[in-house]
Amino acid sequence: MKLLVTGGAGYVGSVCAKVLLEAGHSVTVLDNLTTGNREAVPAEATFVQGDVPDMASEILADGGYDGVVHFAARSLVGESMEVPEEYWRDNVVATLGLLEAMRRHEVTNLVFSSTAATYGEPEQVPITEDMATNPTNPYGATKLAIDYAITSYAQAHGIGATSLRYFNVAGAYGEVGENRDVETHLIPLILQVALGHRDKIFIFGEDWPTPDGTCVRDYIHVRDLAHAHELALETNRPGSHRIYNLGSGDGYSVREVIDMCRTVTGHPIPAEVAPRRAGDPATLIASSRKIMEELGWDPQYTDLETIVTDAWAFTSQLGDRAHSARRARTVTPSR
Ligand code: UDP
């Protein structure tokens, strides 16, 4: 297939672009490089720097495109609470424009990068796709709004789409992995401690209603996640919008993740308990049974040790180069 991958210079987008190229697809990456890295875009992809939807529309106007994989988005929960208007503009308004561009240029196959944040605080785990969606922050709300818009486009205009609701994506695929200017995610932060770029990791609360008092999350390897996008593209049917959760089905506490990082890196990784982070649910675990049964998704890298080992191989080779570049830009984390 000839594919447009928006946000293909970001973490998940660049791994997906690589996996799709390896599967024999042709890939054009569109990314404005606000948070993405040009060097993460696979050499075999065509790269266009620009925004969704205007540049996406120009690219699709060239003709011959079979599908769109849409990653480009703002994705920091804390930031979304501070500047929600930017999330509604860059996520929802931009995606409405992309849907119109697809309609105009008769491209009907879409895979959308959605999130577990659409569910908010779950009533029970594991979370299935038929459970209530009550996002607790604008990030989750904008992704849910887009899911609704896609359903309408599928019904009225024949788009064939799949929304994939990611749980905690981690790991790396060779030379592509997590490398953000503003890092807020647990595993890359812990690995920065192991590299000596941070003194310690803060544990956000140890009084949660979980076995060891720290939050429990479902970590999914980015390669397994990427493969799900490939399956979705191959099976989308005009007029239908499917929604699937993507996780491993196993929950690990913050303390368990830190311990695994100690084992894998051989570093003591000092940790200190800090207050709870606003908006964090205690436990998030996915049921991915639906995508396994319907699409035959068969994750290969489900154990936490493999996820951390691959992330560590990536982070340690990135090393001081990325750290110096990050320092030079002096950014302030928003969460
Ligand atoms: N977390 C933590 N310290 C950190 C970053 C994250 O204790 O420095 C916790 C966070 O409260 C959550 C889990 O680690 O329970 C995973 O957080 P992350 O930001 O990686 O993903 P999220 O679950 O928010 O999507």
Side-chain angles (χ1 to χ4, degrees), residues 35-324:
T35 55
N37 301 312
R38 175 66 182 88
E39 60 274 25
V41 178
E44 303 78 23
T46 303
F47 177 70
V48 179
Q49 184 171 353
D51 291 317
V52 176
D54 293 351
M55 193 54 80
S57 184
E58 275 190 41
I59 293 169
L60 296 181
D62 283 349
Y65 279 88
D66 302 298
V68 176
V69 192
H70 182 37
F71 297 102
R74 305 279 291 251
S75 61
L76 295 177
V77 169
E79 183 184 65
S80 80
M81 314 263 275
E82 289 158 21
V83 286
E85 62 283 2
E86 294 182 13
Y87 278 66
W88 286 95
R89 182 193 63 211
D90 295 346
N91 292 358
V92 177
V93 177
T95 305
L96 293 178
L98 176 66
L99 288 167
E100 272 304 286
M102 289 179 69
R103 183 155 80 108
R104 203 163 42 247
H105 301 298
E106 297 176 350
V107 179
T108 55
N109 193 339
L110 172 67
V111 178
F112 174 59
S113 164
S114 188
T115 168
T118 52
Y119 295 108
E121 181 82 50
E123 282 160 19
Q124 61 185 62
V125 293
I127 300 172
T128 50
E129 291 83 353
D130 54 3
M131 281 171 55
T133 41
N134 289 307
T136 52
N137 53 63
Y139 166 62
T142 59
K143 290 283 185 171
L144 182 60
I146 295 167
D147 280 344
Y148 279 121
I150 293 172
T151 301
S152 309
Y153 267 74
Q155 285 166 354
H157 303 308
I159 295 260
T162 303
S163 293
L164 297 173
R165 292 188 172 159
Y166 312 158
F167 283 64
N168 289 61
V169 190
Y173 185 13
E175 72 286 1
V176 270
E178 285 184 273
N179 177 22
R180 303 182 183 89
D181 281 351
V182 182
E183 190 51 77
T184 64
H185 294 95
L186 182 63
I187 291 177
L189 286 175
I190 299 171
L191 296 181
Q192 287 178 15
V193 178
L195 273 180
H197 297 166
R198 291 175 189 268
D199 295 337
K200 58 189 156 193
I201 184 74
F202 290 102
I203 297 172
F204 295 150
E206 62 170 357
D207 55 352
W208 297 92
T210 60
D212 70 9
T214 66
C215 286
V216 170
R217 294 287 182 276
D218 179 338
Y219 294 87
I220 171 174
H221 198 295
V222 68
R223 285 184 73 176
D224 285 329
L225 187 92
H227 184 55
H229 292 71
E230 195 188 328
L231 288 174
L233 277 167
E234 286 164 358
T235 55
N236 272 337
R237 292 284 168 270
S240 135
H241 179 208
R242 307 171 299 184
I243 294 178
Y244 295 120
N245 291 342
L246 279 181
S248 69
D250 293 320
Y252 292 94
S253 73
V254 172
R255 281 200 188 280
E256 286 174 326
V257 174
I258 296 171
D259 281 342
M260 182 57 79
C261 292
R262 287 177 176 139
T263 304
V264 168
T265 64
H267 190 279
I269 307 181
E272 185 178 310
V273 176
R276 289 181 176 195
R277 185 172 67 180
D280 269 344
T283 302
L284 288 178
I285 299 174
S287 163
S288 302
R289 180 175 290 197
K290 190 176 167 200
I291 189 167
M292 288 173 166
E293 287 178 359
E294 294 186 8
L295 302 195
W297 182 62
D298 181 20
Q300 301 294 309
Y301 313 98
T302 51
D303 63 301
L304 187 62
E305 184 169 0
T306 305
I307 292 173
V308 172
T309 300
D310 289 355
W312 177 234
F314 170 76
T315 307
S316 47
Q317 62 82 27
L318 202 65
D320 292 330
R321 190 168 45 88
H323 183 54
S324 321

